[in-house]
Amino acid sequence: MQKVTANVYTDTTFRGCNPSYIVTKDGVVVVDTPQLPTRAVAMRAEAEKHGPIRYLINTEHHVDHIFGNYYFKGAGTVVGHKGLDENFMVVGPDLDPFAYAKEALPTDDPDGEAIFPDRDEYFRDPNRPSVVFTGDLTLRVGGTEIQLIHTPGHTPGQVTVYVPSERVCFTGDTIFSECQTWLLTSNVDEWVAALDRIRQLDVDHIIPGHGPVTTKAYLDVQRSVLMEWVTAVAVAIARGWSRDEVIERINFRERFQVDVGQGYMMDHIQTKNAASLYDKLIAGRRP
Ligand SMILES: [Zn+2]
């Protein structure tokens, strides 16, 4: 894995989120788990070389951040926001998270098939949070302070994990670094406010949900992506475009690649982003 600071490691190279861990004097704190089974098993083994895993924090409920929890059973206490817990592996109108995790195996982790549970087996104990909180929460592990800051927007239970002593934060998908932004389950107004809250943190490195490790300078880029999407759809509605026309004509394909392993989702992202913003704005709701 990539060593970001003296005690912080991440991996931005394979399909799924950027799973990470923090090493303290009294064991390891994991932040999000690999979606791909063999990667999850390998990361657990690597993290445990630094000491026992004390906590596993999930930054958001999307499947690529939580599915790998299954392979971390018995490794520390799982911590998540109430908004994450309420949405943990819940089937939505657009996505069955369990099926989505399985669908990645042939292309991205063929060896993972052998250790992929069937649906009943998985849901008997997916290793969901046992500590569920609202607002913010501070953990102190081996003298290292770890702040879990509620930064909703991309999802309702979104948290930013801030480690002041390492001058690092982990944002989950509040930041899509140099790759396409998924906003179909989002509240963009809250998301922009979340970026402002992250701006207040004293950090040199931001570990995003997807894409390369970045810095606070990227907060402006992420804000611009969100505001451009909302503005483009709002302008289209003012011009009287139909829902189909909005989906057909508004996209930001050229801006970024899709994150590794998900290139085939490009049309899905563009369509769902445009449709979700249209539906909210046309109903007079905040985007
Ligand atoms: Zn997400």
Side-chain angles (χ1 to χ4, degrees):
M1 291 181 70
Q2 176 186 349
K3 188 170 187 176
V4 180
T5 66
N7 296 299
V8 168
Y9 298 78
T10 191
D11 199 323
T12 67
T13 60
F14 52 79
R15 178 171 178 170
C17 73
N18 292 336
S20 308
Y21 61 83
I22 306 153
V23 177
T24 80
K25 289 190 174 66
D26 186 32
V28 178
V29 177
V30 171
V31 181
D32 289 337
T33 50
Q35 169 191 332
L36 303 175
T38 64
R39 297 292 192 162
V41 170
M43 175 173 148
R44 176 174 175 170
E46 183 184 317
E48 287 177 335
K49 286 182 189 163
H50 298 273
I53 295 171
R54 298 298 186 195
Y55 292 96
L56 190 178
I57 302 164
N58 291 124
T59 61
E60 60 170 81
H61 76 267
H62 284 154
V63 56
D64 54 324
H65 298 253
I66 62 173
F67 182 77
N69 286 21
Y70 182 82
Y71 301 98
F72 282 74
K73 284 194 260 191
T77 301
V78 183
V79 182
H81 192 273
K82 183 164 181 279
L84 176 145
D85 190 57
E86 289 169 350
N87 291 290
F88 195 94
M89 293 298 283
V90 173
V91 177
D94 293 317
L95 191 80
D96 172 353
F98 182 85
Y100 188 74
K102 188 168 180 157
E103 160 188 321
L105 296 177
T107 48
D108 295 274
D109 193 14
D111 292 344
E113 304 262 15
I115 52 170
F116 194 86
D118 69 30
R119 191 179 283 266
D120 288 346
E121 185 187 349
Y122 170 78
F123 278 103
R124 266 197 291 278
D125 180 11
N127 199 20
R128 61 190 298 154
S130 55
V131 173
V132 177
F133 66 99
T134 58
D136 302 338
L137 179 72
T138 297
L139 303 174
R140 290 195 184 87
V141 188
T144 301
E145 180 173 304
I146 299 169
Q147 298 180 18
L148 282 60
I149 303 170
H150 188 213
T151 44
H154 174 67
T155 67
Q158 199 80 23
V159 298
T160 294
V161 178
Y162 173 40
V163 189
S165 60
E166 300 293 318
R167 301 179 59 82
V168 166
C169 68
F170 308 75
T171 64
D173 296 357
T174 303
I175 305 279
F176 284 89
S177 172
E178 298 169 39
C179 58
Q180 285 284 336
T181 290
W182 299 56
L183 49 76
L184 44 155
T185 61
S186 304
N187 179 316
V188 176
D189 280 359
E190 286 184 352
W191 192 335
V192 171
L195 294 171
D196 290 340
R197 191 151 184 215
I198 294 166
R199 207 180 290 272
Q200 306 305 316
L201 305 179
D202 196 12
V203 295
D204 300 320
H205 303 284
I206 292 178
I207 298 177
H210 295 271
V213 175
T214 189
T215 67
K216 282 165 77 171
Y218 196 82
L219 294 168
D220 291 338
V221 178
Q222 185 64 60
R223 181 174 62 183
S224 74
V225 168
L226 297 173
M227 294 176 82
E228 279 184 289
W229 263 109
V230 172
T231 302
V233 176
V235 168
I237 289 171
R239 288 177 178 161
W241 294 8
S242 69
R243 190 176 192 274
D244 286 347
E245 284 174 308
V246 166
I247 290 168
E248 176 72 22
R249 295 167 68 176
I250 296 179
N251 68 78
F252 291 88
R253 280 188 180 81
E254 305 307 318
R255 183 66 53 81
F256 294 114
Q257 301 286 307
V258 182
D259 189 30
V260 56
Q262 294 175 292
Y264 73 100
M265 303 295 286
M266 177 66 97
D267 288 345
H268 177 83
I269 296 168
Q270 303 303 319
T271 297
K272 294 295 182 182
N273 282 0
S276 74
L277 290 174
Y278 178 89
D279 291 343
K280 284 180 238 178
L281 291 170
I282 204 80
R285 288 189 282 128
R286 306 296 295 179

